[in-house]
């Protein structure tokens, strides 16, 4: 899938062969707030086992998102980022819109995302705080990759 968004120079593709895995790894392991220290092998495995979206300008990858899903009932949006020099230009919104509109992700009962600082961004696409937080549990190991 290759789609041009509202900004005709920005394209989103789910073609894994186009992904700049070294850039994704560098960003996640060195600059993200959620995966500092993650290993290259874990990043590669996560890409292999997810529906991935690359955002490109003139063939250069500048954005990434991946979805973990069973394609029938549930999906979780992960690792959403735009590299710093391209932030503030609406690319994250365009990327998330392409994720939400992807044909394989329609009709899901639950679509989740974790965020510490982008609530208003995700709210634009129908995400909200859990309606029943008392029914959600997690096993969270935030420093796992630093071991």
């Amino acid at each position: 899938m290759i789609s041009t968004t509202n900004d005709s120079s920005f394209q989103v593709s789910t073609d894994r062969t186009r992904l700049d895995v070294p850039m994704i790894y560098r960003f996640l392991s060195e600059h993200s707030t959620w995966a500092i220290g993650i290993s290259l092998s874990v990043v590669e495995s996560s890409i292999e086992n997810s529906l991935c979206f690359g955002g490109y300008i003139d063939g250069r990858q500048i954005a990434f998102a991946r979805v973990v899903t069973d394609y029938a009932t549930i999906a979780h949006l992960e690792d959403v980022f735009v590299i710093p020099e391209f932030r503030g230009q609406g690319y994250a919104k365009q990327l998330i819109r392409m994720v939400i509109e992807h044909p394989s992700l329609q009709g899901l009962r639950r679509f989740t995302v974790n965020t510490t600082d982008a609530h208003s961004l995700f709210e634009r696409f129908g995400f909200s705080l859990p309606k029943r937080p008392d029914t959600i549990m997690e096993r969270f190991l935030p420093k796992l990759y630093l071991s």
Side-chain angles (χ1 to χ4, degrees), residues 63-126:
F64 179 72
R66 68 184 183 87
V67 177
V68 179
T69 184
D70 65 5
Y71 297 101
T73 64
I74 192 164
H76 184 75
L77 180 56
E78 283 280 339
D79 296 338
V80 180
F81 69 84
V82 174
I83 59 175
E85 61 263 37
F86 289 93
R87 291 183 184 161
Q89 299 176 51
Y91 297 128
K93 290 181 206 111
Q94 293 177 62
L95 177 64
I96 295 166
R97 182 174 54 80
M98 298 304 294
V99 169
I100 296 299
E101 292 176 357
H102 190 279
S104 296
L105 301 176
Q106 303 310 299
L108 301 173
R109 182 183 72 245
R110 179 170 285 160
F111 204 140
T112 61
V113 65
N114 296 342
T115 185
T116 58
D117 61 359
H119 293 78
S120 63
L121 172 63
F122 291 108
E123 286 169 351
R124 295 174 191 213
F125 298 95

Side-chain angles (χ1 to χ4, degrees), residues 2 22 118 141:
I2 296 178
L141 307 170

Side-chain angles (χ1 to χ4, degrees), residues 10-29 32 34-35 38 42-57 60-68 76-84 86-87 91-99 113 121-122:
F10 183 67
Q11 291 190 328
V12 175
S13 173
T14 56
D15 180 353
R16 275 198 201 120
T17 66
R18 291 187 64 190
L19 293 174
D20 183 347
V21 176
M23 180 279 291
I24 296 166
Y25 164 68
R26 255 187 330 277
F27 182 87
L28 292 174
S29 67
S32 72
W34 61 91
I38 195 169
V42 170
V43 170
E44 290 171 335
S45 181
S46 71
I47 289 170
E48 182 180 326
N49 293 292
S50 301
L51 174 59
C52 297
F53 296 78
Y56 304 88
I57 293 180
R60 176 184 176 202
Q61 186 174 354
I62 60 115
F64 179 72
R66 68 184 183 87
V67 177
V68 179
H76 184 75
L77 180 56
E78 283 280 339
D79 296 338
V80 180
F81 69 84
V82 174
I83 59 175
F86 289 93
R87 291 183 184 161
Y91 297 128
K93 290 181 206 111
Q94 293 177 62
L95 177 64
I96 295 166
R97 182 174 54 80
M98 298 304 294
V99 169
V113 65
L121 172 63
F122 291 108

